[in-house]
Amino acid sequence: MWTFSDRSFVPHAVWPAEPAVAEHTPVLIASGALPDSHRDVLINLATDSPAEPTRFARICEVVGADEDMKRRARLRWRSYSESGLTPVKHDL
């Protein structure tokens, strides 16, 4: 990590964090309850869609090739659509 340039490091904290830390940290890593702040982008690595997905400006999902992962992703897609969101698929 010490060999990265000073612009390569992304400041982050594990949520829940002290309010002063969370306020000044651009990235929060959470498992479980999500913060009321940091609503620009959620990278969802969970098997379920987040509660109240419309709170986020953008949600990114990474879907593997495993059939169970695809099935769960389809359920999340449906959940997002039912919440009024318009999911967009990007094949990489």
Side-chain angles (χ1 to χ4, degrees):
M1 183 158 109
W2 301 113
T3 60
F4 288 136
S5 75
D6 60 351
R7 295 172 195 227
S8 296
F9 181 75
V10 178
H12 60 280
V14 176
W15 179 257
E18 294 293 324
V21 171
E23 179 182 344
H24 298 289
T25 305
V27 174
L28 293 179
I29 301 169
S31 63
L34 300 174
D36 290 330
S37 61
H38 296 74
R39 297 304 170 106
D40 293 330
V41 178
L42 169 68
I43 300 174
N44 186 22
L45 301 177
T47 55
D48 297 319
S49 58
E52 302 179 57
T54 56
R55 297 184 307 174
F56 298 93
R58 191 170 172 186
I59 300 174
C60 299
E61 299 262 350
V62 178
V63 180
D66 176 85
E67 286 305 316
D68 187 54
M69 293 175 93
K70 289 180 185 179
R71 181 185 63 77
R72 290 176 183 269
R74 289 183 193 106
L75 292 173
R76 291 191 304 272
W77 181 287
R78 187 176 304 126
S79 171
Y80 295 139
S81 295
E82 290 171 354
S83 295
L85 300 174
T86 305
V88 177
K89 179 181 174 185
H90 300 277
D91 287 323
L92 302 176

